Amino acid sequence: MCKNHEEFMREAIELSIKNIDTNGGPFGAVIVKEGKIIARGINKVTSNNDPTAHAEVNAIREAAAKLGTFDLKGCEIYSSCEPCPMCLGAIYWARLDKLYYANTKQDAKEIDFDDSFIYEELELPVEKRKIPTTQILRDEAIVAFNKWKDKADKLEY
């Protein structure tokens, strides 16, 4: 493995270790473009009272703001842990080129950061999920989708 890859991962790991005493959970991430770290993220779920403030999401937000784009093609993310379903989704939506991680989701499960229930829920039909879910007003909501579909000057993402 490239020495730079290890250096970038060590940075993510160091962020995860330092974060335990300052902001929350043991998670860190960095985003790299052209061999340089352009963004760092730590878990701030408890310090910000924000359940979406995971390290990867925070790093993505910082990189997108810094680059002035929602499309992070040409960038790679290094995460101290295998991303949860939300973060993995964000990584795909951001179009990052590659993901590197250190700890596994099983390692996280062993310290009570278990997201396996989310993967299991996603496989269930909507009516069998733990959170009661009901579709309403589709005929009214579809107006926005049809308007978007017909918009000639839309910025696709």
Side-chain angles (χ1 to χ4, degrees), residues 78-93:
Y78 295 77
S79 177
S80 65
C81 185
E82 187 174 359
C84 74
M86 176 186 69
C87 292
L88 187 58
I91 288 165
Y92 276 97
W93 278 115

Side-chain angles (χ1 to χ4, degrees):
M1 171 158 292
C2 171
K3 183 174 166 79
N4 284 344
H5 293 305
E6 292 174 357
E7 289 173 12
F8 298 141
M9 184 57 75
R10 283 189 183 102
E11 176 72 16
I13 293 167
E14 184 63 27
L15 288 168
S16 75
I17 293 167
K18 287 180 180 176
N19 196 52
I20 295 167
D21 295 327
T22 56
N23 291 290
F27 304 98
V30 298
I31 295 181
V32 173
K33 183 174 179 137
E34 298 172 354
K36 295 186 179 180
I37 294 174
I38 61 162
R40 290 171 174 80
I42 53 174
N43 181 287
K44 291 186 171 187
V45 170
T46 57
S47 62
N48 287 6
N49 293 318
D50 179 354
T52 69
H54 291 201
E56 298 90 341
V57 170
N58 287 331
I60 289 168
R61 289 173 178 159
E62 183 178 307
K66 189 174 280 186
L67 297 175
T69 181
F70 58 83
D71 186 340
L72 299 180
K73 285 181 190 150
C75 299
E76 299 175 334
I77 188 165
Y78 295 77
S79 177
S80 65
C81 185
E82 187 174 359
C84 74
M86 176 186 69
C87 292
L88 187 58
I91 288 165
Y92 276 97
W93 278 115
R95 296 181 177 89
L96 289 154
D97 289 357
K98 190 154 185 181
L99 161 66
Y100 298 89
Y101 67 89
N103 291 318
T104 67
K105 60 186 175 185
Q106 182 61 38
D107 296 329
K109 182 177 183 175
E110 290 173 10
I111 61 163
D112 297 326
F113 287 96
D114 184 9
D115 54 17
S116 59
F117 75 97
I118 298 171
Y119 287 106
E120 292 164 8
E121 284 283 300
L122 292 172
E123 294 297 318
L124 294 174
V126 171
E127 64 276 3
K128 294 195 178 201
R129 293 181 184 164
K130 287 186 175 101
I131 296 177
T133 304
T134 305
Q135 181 183 21
I136 61 173
L137 299 180
R138 181 182 179 270
D139 291 341
E140 292 178 32
I142 202 71
V143 171
F145 281 14
N146 289 333
K147 184 174 180 179
W148 174 259
K149 181 176 69 175
D150 296 337
K151 183 175 170 63
D153 62 343
K154 62 187 164 206
L155 180 58
E156 303 249 2
Y157 61 97

